């Protein structure tokens, strides 16, 4: 007969040898609306809740895993907040969040991993993600969001996807100081996206692929190894860093056809910044919109074409340190090339600016008659090719090479002259060059009136 004392001793010993799984769970489970859940130690079967307004905290050193094709955290209620300082690892999604207006913060010690997606909030609006650690989608996207999503990726943090790193809907906002990398597209988003990048965005396909009304400010690196670095319909790009379709890839910036062709897209390439690709800046043949490009850095086309702006009334603003490596093709319609302030000895590094079909005009800022030193034909390019030599404010001279340009406009509100009327057999003083053809070049009066009307409309 076994004595009760021995049974008690045996029971205590058995408890000491048994893992305390209850203490390791995310608790409480279930949780009431507005409640708080804490995950400690090891939760091997994941956590699921449909309650609203709850907060889930995974503490440092803890892990939550989903096995057998399950998510590690599945949160169906709206307004859910997750803070992870441990390990969240799902055999489907790391975190599957189904309720709108939630937030996820992944701290520096945190990892969120899914065998499929790291974080899945597909078609769920208003999700905010702050990442200071690592988010990985091992077989698909690292992050998938609906409309009005926000991702902040801190310095030292990584978002990595086997498909897209981030896929989002309309009105997406990204602030990236860390690393975003993908085996397909880096970031895919809808209309109205805003990107601020000081870190690195790299992809095999497009590094950034999004639609209309996009705003991109880059002072880091955006690169693609097999496609475009940036592929958008329309919007604005401000580059203070590097945007590059790598060797073997395609373009630095590519504009697709836009639904609303009246929207003017802008690119500002700052001093020291680089835009490079097979074509540095390219437009789809079906793109009928206008582009305005300001260059004070370097725009390189390894194919021999630095820019191909296609249809639309395009504007190119050259600044003193701006270099175009390759042809600058402004395409069809009525285009303007602006000498924006003092220029280098060879404008744009000696690039050839091709106005294409339409009536195309060289516009000077702050120059008078005496500052147009000479206009001459450019040999080897036909009758509509010219060199124009201008005098800078420090009395140095600059020469710009033009193809298929018809006119010269002295200042935006000044007089318009036909370049053919200004050609002299040898360089002359400004007054002589201008008098060769007289002042009877009013053929662009309609063009100038239209330009002024547009400026007035934009002002209003």
């Amino acid at each position: 007969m076994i004595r009760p004392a021995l049974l008690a001793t045996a029971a205590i010993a058995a408890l000491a040898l048994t893992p305390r799984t209850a203490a390791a769970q995310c608790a409480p489970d279930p949780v009431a609306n507005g409640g708080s859940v804490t995950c400690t130690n090891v939760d091997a079967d994941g956590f699921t809740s449909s309650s609203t307004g709850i907060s889930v905290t995974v503490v440092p050193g803890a892990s939550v895993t989903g096995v057998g094709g399950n998510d590690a955290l599945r949160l169906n209620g709206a307004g859910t907040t997750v803070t992870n300082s441990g390990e969240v690892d799902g055999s489907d999604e790391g975190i599957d969040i189904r309720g709108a207006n939630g937030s996820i913060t992944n701290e520096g010690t945190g990892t969120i991993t899914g065998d499929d997606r790291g974080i899945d909030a597909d078609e769920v609006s208003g999700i905010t993600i702050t990442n200071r650690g690592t988010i990985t989608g091992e077989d698909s996207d690292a992050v998938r969001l609906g409309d009005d999503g926000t991702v902040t990726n801190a310095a030292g943090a990584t978002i990595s996807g086997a498909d897209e790193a981030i896929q989002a809907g309309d009105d997406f906002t990204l602030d990236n100081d860390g690393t975003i990398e993908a085996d397909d597209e880096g970031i895919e988003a809808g209309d109205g996206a805003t990107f601020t990048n000081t870190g690195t965005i790299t992809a095999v396909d497009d590094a950034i692929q999004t639609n209309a009304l996009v705003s991109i400010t880059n002072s880091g690196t955006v690169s693609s190894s097999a496609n475009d670095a940036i592929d958008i319909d329309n919007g604005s790009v401000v580059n203070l860093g590097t945007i590059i379709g790598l060797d073997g890839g395609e373009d630095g910036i590519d504009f697709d056809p836009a639904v609303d062709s009246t929207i003017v897209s802008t690119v500002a390439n700052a001093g020291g910044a680089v835009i490079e690709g097979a074509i540095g800046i390219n437009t789809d043949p079906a793109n009928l919109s206008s582009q305005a490009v300001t260059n004070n850095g370097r725009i390189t086309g390894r194919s021999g074409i630095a820019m191909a702006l296609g249809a639309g009334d395009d504007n190119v603003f050259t600044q003193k340190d701006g270099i175009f490596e390759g042809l600058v093709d402004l395409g069809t319609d009525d285009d303007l090339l602006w000498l924006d302030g003092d220029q280098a000895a060879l404008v744009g590094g000696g690039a050839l600016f091709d106005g294409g079909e339409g009536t195309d005009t060289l516009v000077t800022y702050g120059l008078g008659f005496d500052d147009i030193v000479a206009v001459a034909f450019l040999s080897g390019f036909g009758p509509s090719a010219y060199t124009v030599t201008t005098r800078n404010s420090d009395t140095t001279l600059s020469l710009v090479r033009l193809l298929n340009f018809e006119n010269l406009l002295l200042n935006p509100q000044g007089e318009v002259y036909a370049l053919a009327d200004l050609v002299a057999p040898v360089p002359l003083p400004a007054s002589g060059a201008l008098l060769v053809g007289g002042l009877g070049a009013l053929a662009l009066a309609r063009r100038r009136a239209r330009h002024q009307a547009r400026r007035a409309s934009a002002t209003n």
Side-chain angles (χ1 to χ4, degrees), residues 368-370 372 407-408 410 414-422 430-445 448:
F369 292 140
D370 293 340
I372 307 302
N407 300 288
L408 170 70
L410 289 174
E415 293 296 327
V416 181
Y417 301 93
L419 286 167
D421 290 343
L422 304 181
S431 57
L434 291 170
L435 288 173
V436 169
L439 300 180
L442 298 179
L444 275 193
R448 184 179 60 185

PDB file of all heavy atoms in Angstrom, residues 368-370 372 407-408 410 414-422 430-445 448:
ATOM      1  N   GLY A 368      19.929  89.661 -71.536  1.00  0.00           N
ATOM      2  CA  GLY A 368      19.462  90.660 -72.476  1.00  0.00           C
ATOM      3  C   GLY A 368      20.061  90.429 -73.849  1.00  0.00           C
ATOM      4  O   GLY A 368      20.767  89.442 -74.086  1.00  0.00           O
ATOM      5  N   PHE A 369      19.807  91.360 -74.768  1.00  0.00           N
ATOM      6  CA  PHE A 369      20.328  91.231 -76.127  1.00  0.00           C
ATOM      7  C   PHE A 369      21.844  91.070 -76.129  1.00  0.00           C
ATOM      8  O   PHE A 369      22.402  90.280 -76.885  1.00  0.00           O
ATOM      9  CB  PHE A 369      19.958  92.470 -76.949  1.00  0.00           C
ATOM     10  CG  PHE A 369      18.484  92.589 -77.232  1.00  0.00           C
ATOM     11  CD1 PHE A 369      17.865  93.823 -77.175  1.00  0.00           C
ATOM     12  CD2 PHE A 369      17.734  91.480 -77.549  1.00  0.00           C
ATOM     13  CE1 PHE A 369      16.513  93.953 -77.429  1.00  0.00           C
ATOM     14  CE2 PHE A 369      16.373  91.592 -77.814  1.00  0.00           C
ATOM     15  CZ  PHE A 369      15.761  92.837 -77.747  1.00  0.00           C
ATOM     16  N   ASP A 370      22.523  91.852 -75.288  1.00  0.00           N
ATOM     17  CA  ASP A 370      23.980  91.837 -75.291  1.00  0.00           C
ATOM     18  C   ASP A 370      24.561  90.531 -74.762  1.00  0.00           C
ATOM     19  O   ASP A 370      25.766  90.308 -74.890  1.00  0.00           O
ATOM     20  CB  ASP A 370      24.532  93.002 -74.465  1.00  0.00           C
ATOM     21  CG  ASP A 370      24.220  94.347 -75.104  1.00  0.00           C
ATOM     22  OD1 ASP A 370      23.937  94.359 -76.313  1.00  0.00           O
ATOM     23  OD2 ASP A 370      24.266  95.360 -74.388  1.00  0.00           O
ATOM     24  N   ILE A 372      23.489  87.509 -75.715  1.00  0.00           N
ATOM     25  CA  ILE A 372      23.457  86.484 -76.754  1.00  0.00           C
ATOM     26  C   ILE A 372      24.646  86.754 -77.663  1.00  0.00           C
ATOM     27  O   ILE A 372      24.622  87.632 -78.514  1.00  0.00           O
ATOM     28  CB  ILE A 372      22.142  86.525 -77.548  1.00  0.00           C
ATOM     29  CG1 ILE A 372      20.960  86.475 -76.594  1.00  0.00           C
ATOM     30  CG2 ILE A 372      22.098  85.360 -78.537  1.00  0.00           C
ATOM     31  CD1 ILE A 372      20.906  85.271 -75.686  1.00  0.00           C
ATOM     32  N   ASN A 407      13.113  78.462 -81.890  1.00  0.00           N
ATOM     33  CA  ASN A 407      13.025  79.827 -81.389  1.00  0.00           C
ATOM     34  C   ASN A 407      13.875  80.072 -80.148  1.00  0.00           C
ATOM     35  O   ASN A 407      14.268  79.138 -79.435  1.00  0.00           O
ATOM     36  CB  ASN A 407      11.570  80.164 -81.051  1.00  0.00           C
ATOM     37  CG  ASN A 407      10.677  80.044 -82.262  1.00  0.00           C
ATOM     38  OD1 ASN A 407      10.722  80.865 -83.166  1.00  0.00           O
ATOM     39  ND2 ASN A 407       9.872  78.988 -82.297  1.00  0.00           N
ATOM     40  N   LEU A 408      14.108  81.351 -79.906  1.00  0.00           N
ATOM     41  CA  LEU A 408      14.789  81.838 -78.711  1.00  0.00           C
ATOM     42  C   LEU A 408      13.874  82.838 -78.028  1.00  0.00           C
ATOM     43  O   LEU A 408      13.367  83.770 -78.676  1.00  0.00           O
ATOM     44  CB  LEU A 408      16.111  82.512 -79.082  1.00  0.00           C
ATOM     45  CG  LEU A 408      16.831  83.278 -77.966  1.00  0.00           C
ATOM     46  CD1 LEU A 408      17.374  82.310 -76.932  1.00  0.00           C
ATOM     47  CD2 LEU A 408      17.955  84.133 -78.536  1.00  0.00           C
ATOM     48  N   LEU A 410      13.882  85.510 -74.921  1.00  0.00           N
ATOM     49  CA  LEU A 410      14.685  86.223 -73.932  1.00  0.00           C
ATOM     50  C   LEU A 410      13.829  86.502 -72.707  1.00  0.00           C
ATOM     51  O   LEU A 410      12.994  87.404 -72.715  1.00  0.00           O
ATOM     52  CB  LEU A 410      15.209  87.539 -74.512  1.00  0.00           C
ATOM     53  CG  LEU A 410      16.301  87.407 -75.574  1.00  0.00           C
ATOM     54  CD1 LEU A 410      16.624  88.770 -76.158  1.00  0.00           C
ATOM     55  CD2 LEU A 410      17.547  86.766 -74.987  1.00  0.00           C
ATOM     56  N   GLY A 414       9.847  88.000 -72.265  1.00  0.00           N
ATOM     57  CA  GLY A 414      10.552  88.840 -73.220  1.00  0.00           C
ATOM     58  C   GLY A 414      10.167  88.587 -74.665  1.00  0.00           C
ATOM     59  O   GLY A 414       9.129  88.006 -74.971  1.00  0.00           O
ATOM     60  N   GLU A 415      11.061  89.024 -75.586  1.00  0.00           N
ATOM     61  CA  GLU A 415      10.810  88.888 -77.010  1.00  0.00           C
ATOM     62  C   GLU A 415      11.180  87.490 -77.496  1.00  0.00           C
ATOM     63  O   GLU A 415      12.060  86.836 -76.955  1.00  0.00           O
ATOM     64  CB  GLU A 415      11.618  89.929 -77.779  1.00  0.00           C
ATOM     65  CG  GLU A 415      11.171  91.361 -77.520  1.00  0.00           C
ATOM     66  CD  GLU A 415       9.755  91.603 -77.998  1.00  0.00           C
ATOM     67  OE1 GLU A 415       9.355  90.985 -79.007  1.00  0.00           O
ATOM     68  OE2 GLU A 415       9.046  92.395 -77.360  1.00  0.00           O
ATOM     69  N   VAL A 416      10.484  87.048 -78.545  1.00  0.00           N
ATOM     70  CA  VAL A 416      10.724  85.747 -79.149  1.00  0.00           C
ATOM     71  C   VAL A 416      11.356  85.955 -80.518  1.00  0.00           C
ATOM     72  O   VAL A 416      10.899  86.782 -81.305  1.00  0.00           O
ATOM     73  CB  VAL A 416       9.408  84.958 -79.293  1.00  0.00           C
ATOM     74  CG1 VAL A 416       9.671  83.590 -79.901  1.00  0.00           C
ATOM     75  CG2 VAL A 416       8.727  84.821 -77.946  1.00  0.00           C
ATOM     76  N   TYR A 417      12.421  85.174 -80.814  1.00  0.00           N
ATOM     77  CA  TYR A 417      13.129  85.294 -82.080  1.00  0.00           C
ATOM     78  C   TYR A 417      13.277  83.920 -82.709  1.00  0.00           C
ATOM     79  O   TYR A 417      13.509  82.922 -82.008  1.00  0.00           O
ATOM     80  CB  TYR A 417      14.516  85.914 -81.873  1.00  0.00           C
ATOM     81  CG  TYR A 417      14.457  87.282 -81.258  1.00  0.00           C
ATOM     82  CD1 TYR A 417      14.542  87.437 -79.871  1.00  0.00           C
ATOM     83  CD2 TYR A 417      14.289  88.408 -82.057  1.00  0.00           C
ATOM     84  CE1 TYR A 417      14.467  88.690 -79.298  1.00  0.00           C
ATOM     85  CE2 TYR A 417      14.215  89.678 -81.491  1.00  0.00           C
ATOM     86  CZ  TYR A 417      14.293  89.811 -80.112  1.00  0.00           C
ATOM     87  OH  TYR A 417      14.210  91.056 -79.547  1.00  0.00           O
ATOM     88  N   ALA A 418      13.165  83.866 -84.019  1.00  0.00           N
ATOM     89  CA  ALA A 418      13.432  82.631 -84.747  1.00  0.00           C
ATOM     90  C   ALA A 418      14.939  82.408 -84.802  1.00  0.00           C
ATOM     91  O   ALA A 418      15.689  83.298 -85.212  1.00  0.00           O
ATOM     92  CB  ALA A 418      12.855  82.709 -86.150  1.00  0.00           C
ATOM     93  N   LEU A 419      15.397  81.240 -84.390  1.00  0.00           N
ATOM     94  CA  LEU A 419      16.830  80.970 -84.370  1.00  0.00           C
ATOM     95  C   LEU A 419      17.438  81.102 -85.767  1.00  0.00           C
ATOM     96  O   LEU A 419      18.566  81.585 -85.917  1.00  0.00           O
ATOM     97  CB  LEU A 419      17.079  79.568 -83.814  1.00  0.00           C
ATOM     98  CG  LEU A 419      16.897  79.413 -82.300  1.00  0.00           C
ATOM     99  CD1 LEU A 419      16.845  77.933 -81.931  1.00  0.00           C
ATOM    100  CD2 LEU A 419      18.005  80.120 -81.544  1.00  0.00           C
ATOM    101  N   ALA A 420      16.702  80.668 -86.782  1.00  0.00           N
ATOM    102  CA  ALA A 420      17.233  80.747 -88.151  1.00  0.00           C
ATOM    103  C   ALA A 420      17.537  82.184 -88.550  1.00  0.00           C
ATOM    104  O   ALA A 420      18.451  82.436 -89.348  1.00  0.00           O
ATOM    105  CB  ALA A 420      16.250  80.131 -89.133  1.00  0.00           C
ATOM    106  N   ASP A 421      16.793  83.159 -87.992  1.00  0.00           N
ATOM    107  CA  ASP A 421      17.017  84.555 -88.323  1.00  0.00           C
ATOM    108  C   ASP A 421      18.216  85.144 -87.598  1.00  0.00           C
ATOM    109  O   ASP A 421      18.664  86.245 -87.939  1.00  0.00           O
ATOM    110  CB  ASP A 421      15.783  85.395 -87.967  1.00  0.00           C
ATOM    111  CG  ASP A 421      14.604  85.099 -88.877  1.00  0.00           C
ATOM    112  OD1 ASP A 421      14.819  84.502 -89.949  1.00  0.00           O
ATOM    113  OD2 ASP A 421      13.471  85.452 -88.501  1.00  0.00           O
ATOM    114  N   LEU A 422      18.717  84.429 -86.592  1.00  0.00           N
ATOM    115  CA  LEU A 422      19.809  84.972 -85.786  1.00  0.00           C
ATOM    116  C   LEU A 422      21.158  84.413 -86.153  1.00  0.00           C
ATOM    117  O   LEU A 422      22.174  84.802 -85.584  1.00  0.00           O
ATOM    118  CB  LEU A 422      19.551  84.681 -84.296  1.00  0.00           C
ATOM    119  CG  LEU A 422      18.218  85.181 -83.736  1.00  0.00           C
ATOM    120  CD1 LEU A 422      18.128  84.845 -82.250  1.00  0.00           C
ATOM    121  CD2 LEU A 422      18.065  86.668 -83.954  1.00  0.00           C
ATOM    122  N   ALA A 430      26.642  90.630 -79.761  1.00  0.00           N
ATOM    123  CA  ALA A 430      25.212  90.327 -79.628  1.00  0.00           C
ATOM    124  C   ALA A 430      24.367  91.167 -80.549  1.00  0.00           C
ATOM    125  O   ALA A 430      23.469  90.671 -81.215  1.00  0.00           O
ATOM    126  CB  ALA A 430      24.785  90.519 -78.184  1.00  0.00           C
ATOM    127  N   SER A 431      24.654  92.461 -80.614  1.00  0.00           N
ATOM    128  CA  SER A 431      23.815  93.334 -81.436  1.00  0.00           C
ATOM    129  C   SER A 431      23.894  92.938 -82.894  1.00  0.00           C
ATOM    130  O   SER A 431      22.891  92.907 -83.602  1.00  0.00           O
ATOM    131  CB  SER A 431      24.235  94.792 -81.247  1.00  0.00           C
ATOM    132  OG  SER A 431      25.617  94.945 -81.576  1.00  0.00           O
ATOM    133  N   GLY A 432      25.116  92.579 -83.390  1.00  0.00           N
ATOM    134  CA  GLY A 432      25.259  92.173 -84.779  1.00  0.00           C
ATOM    135  C   GLY A 432      24.503  90.902 -85.078  1.00  0.00           C
ATOM    136  O   GLY A 432      23.834  90.781 -86.095  1.00  0.00           O
ATOM    137  N   ALA A 433      24.597  89.920 -84.186  1.00  0.00           N
ATOM    138  CA  ALA A 433      23.914  88.654 -84.413  1.00  0.00           C
ATOM    139  C   ALA A 433      22.422  88.846 -84.477  1.00  0.00           C
ATOM    140  O   ALA A 433      21.737  88.233 -85.294  1.00  0.00           O
ATOM    141  CB  ALA A 433      24.278  87.666 -83.305  1.00  0.00           C
ATOM    142  N   LEU A 434      21.906  89.703 -83.645  1.00  0.00           N
ATOM    143  CA  LEU A 434      20.467  89.917 -83.622  1.00  0.00           C
ATOM    144  C   LEU A 434      19.991  90.692 -84.832  1.00  0.00           C
ATOM    145  O   LEU A 434      18.889  90.485 -85.326  1.00  0.00           O
ATOM    146  CB  LEU A 434      20.069  90.638 -82.333  1.00  0.00           C
ATOM    147  CG  LEU A 434      20.228  89.790 -81.067  1.00  0.00           C
ATOM    148  CD1 LEU A 434      20.059  90.659 -79.835  1.00  0.00           C
ATOM    149  CD2 LEU A 434      19.194  88.674 -81.050  1.00  0.00           C
ATOM    150  N   LEU A 435      20.848  91.590 -85.335  1.00  0.00           N
ATOM    151  CA  LEU A 435      20.418  92.422 -86.448  1.00  0.00           C
ATOM    152  C   LEU A 435      20.448  91.682 -87.778  1.00  0.00           C
ATOM    153  O   LEU A 435      19.870  92.155 -88.751  1.00  0.00           O
ATOM    154  CB  LEU A 435      21.301  93.674 -86.526  1.00  0.00           C
ATOM    155  CG  LEU A 435      21.046  94.696 -85.410  1.00  0.00           C
ATOM    156  CD1 LEU A 435      22.082  95.806 -85.476  1.00  0.00           C
ATOM    157  CD2 LEU A 435      19.639  95.272 -85.501  1.00  0.00           C
ATOM    158  N   VAL A 436      21.135  90.521 -87.836  1.00  0.00           N
ATOM    159  CA  VAL A 436      21.169  89.772 -89.088  1.00  0.00           C
ATOM    160  C   VAL A 436      19.765  89.484 -89.579  1.00  0.00           C
ATOM    161  O   VAL A 436      19.443  89.609 -90.746  1.00  0.00           O
ATOM    162  CB  VAL A 436      21.971  88.463 -88.913  1.00  0.00           C
ATOM    163  CG1 VAL A 436      21.785  87.553 -90.122  1.00  0.00           C
ATOM    164  CG2 VAL A 436      23.439  88.786 -88.725  1.00  0.00           C
ATOM    165  N   GLY A 437      18.923  89.084 -88.685  1.00  0.00           N
ATOM    166  CA  GLY A 437      17.554  88.776 -89.071  1.00  0.00           C
ATOM    167  C   GLY A 437      16.592  89.868 -88.680  1.00  0.00           C
ATOM    168  O   GLY A 437      15.389  89.735 -88.907  1.00  0.00           O
ATOM    169  N   GLY A 438      17.037  90.915 -88.062  1.00  0.00           N
ATOM    170  CA  GLY A 438      16.155  91.961 -87.581  1.00  0.00           C
ATOM    171  C   GLY A 438      15.369  91.492 -86.384  1.00  0.00           C
ATOM    172  O   GLY A 438      15.666  90.485 -85.772  1.00  0.00           O
ATOM    173  N   LEU A 439      14.355  92.247 -86.062  1.00  0.00           N
ATOM    174  CA  LEU A 439      13.506  91.927 -84.910  1.00  0.00           C
ATOM    175  C   LEU A 439      12.147  91.450 -85.363  1.00  0.00           C
ATOM    176  O   LEU A 439      11.176  91.518 -84.611  1.00  0.00           O
ATOM    177  CB  LEU A 439      13.367  93.178 -84.024  1.00  0.00           C
ATOM    178  CG  LEU A 439      14.668  93.737 -83.451  1.00  0.00           C
ATOM    179  CD1 LEU A 439      14.384  94.965 -82.599  1.00  0.00           C
ATOM    180  CD2 LEU A 439      15.403  92.692 -82.648  1.00  0.00           C
ATOM    181  N   GLY A 440      12.074  90.952 -86.593  1.00  0.00           N
ATOM    182  CA  GLY A 440      10.767  90.579 -87.131  1.00  0.00           C
ATOM    183  C   GLY A 440      10.344  89.169 -86.823  1.00  0.00           C
ATOM    184  O   GLY A 440       9.576  88.591 -87.590  1.00  0.00           O
ATOM    185  N   ALA A 441      10.875  88.584 -85.743  1.00  0.00           N
ATOM    186  CA  ALA A 441      10.519  87.188 -85.427  1.00  0.00           C
ATOM    187  C   ALA A 441       9.356  87.158 -84.464  1.00  0.00           C
ATOM    188  O   ALA A 441       9.511  86.999 -83.275  1.00  0.00           O
ATOM    189  CB  ALA A 441      11.716  86.463 -84.828  1.00  0.00           C
ATOM    190  N   LEU A 442       8.179  87.344 -84.992  1.00  0.00           N
ATOM    191  CA  LEU A 442       6.979  87.315 -84.144  1.00  0.00           C
ATOM    192  C   LEU A 442       6.172  86.051 -84.384  1.00  0.00           C
ATOM    193  O   LEU A 442       4.998  85.963 -84.036  1.00  0.00           O
ATOM    194  CB  LEU A 442       6.108  88.554 -84.429  1.00  0.00           C
ATOM    195  CG  LEU A 442       6.773  89.900 -84.117  1.00  0.00           C
ATOM    196  CD1 LEU A 442       5.815  91.030 -84.475  1.00  0.00           C
ATOM    197  CD2 LEU A 442       7.172  89.987 -82.665  1.00  0.00           C
ATOM    198  N   ALA A 443       6.819  85.078 -85.002  1.00  0.00           N
ATOM    199  CA  ALA A 443       6.082  83.852 -85.330  1.00  0.00           C
ATOM    200  C   ALA A 443       5.605  83.110 -84.104  1.00  0.00           C
ATOM    201  O   ALA A 443       4.702  82.297 -84.176  1.00  0.00           O
ATOM    202  CB  ALA A 443       6.966  82.928 -86.167  1.00  0.00           C
ATOM    203  N   LEU A 444       6.218  83.414 -82.953  1.00  0.00           N
ATOM    204  CA  LEU A 444       5.815  82.698 -81.736  1.00  0.00           C
ATOM    205  C   LEU A 444       4.905  83.528 -80.848  1.00  0.00           C
ATOM    206  O   LEU A 444       4.785  83.247 -79.663  1.00  0.00           O
ATOM    207  CB  LEU A 444       7.050  82.270 -80.935  1.00  0.00           C
ATOM    208  CG  LEU A 444       7.700  80.963 -81.354  1.00  0.00           C
ATOM    209  CD1 LEU A 444       8.687  80.523 -80.297  1.00  0.00           C
ATOM    210  CD2 LEU A 444       6.688  79.885 -81.586  1.00  0.00           C
ATOM    211  N   ALA A 445       4.279  84.516 -81.377  1.00  0.00           N
ATOM    212  CA  ALA A 445       3.402  85.337 -80.536  1.00  0.00           C
ATOM    213  C   ALA A 445       2.282  84.490 -79.924  1.00  0.00           C
ATOM    214  O   ALA A 445       1.963  84.620 -78.749  1.00  0.00           O
ATOM    215  CB  ALA A 445       2.807  86.484 -81.364  1.00  0.00           C
ATOM    216  N   ARG A 448       3.811  82.296 -77.189  1.00  0.00           N
ATOM    217  CA  ARG A 448       4.100  83.041 -75.969  1.00  0.00           C
ATOM    218  C   ARG A 448       2.813  83.396 -75.241  1.00  0.00           C
ATOM    219  O   ARG A 448       2.732  83.302 -74.014  1.00  0.00           O
ATOM    220  CB  ARG A 448       4.878  84.307 -76.299  1.00  0.00           C
ATOM    221  CG  ARG A 448       5.308  85.089 -75.063  1.00  0.00           C
ATOM    222  CD  ARG A 448       6.105  86.322 -75.436  1.00  0.00           C
ATOM    223  NE  ARG A 448       5.313  87.201 -76.277  1.00  0.00           N
ATOM    224  CZ  ARG A 448       5.782  88.313 -76.829  1.00  0.00           C
ATOM    225  NH1 ARG A 448       7.032  88.637 -76.671  1.00  0.00           N
ATOM    226  NH2 ARG A 448       5.006  89.065 -77.570  1.00  0.00           N
TER     227      ARG A 448
END
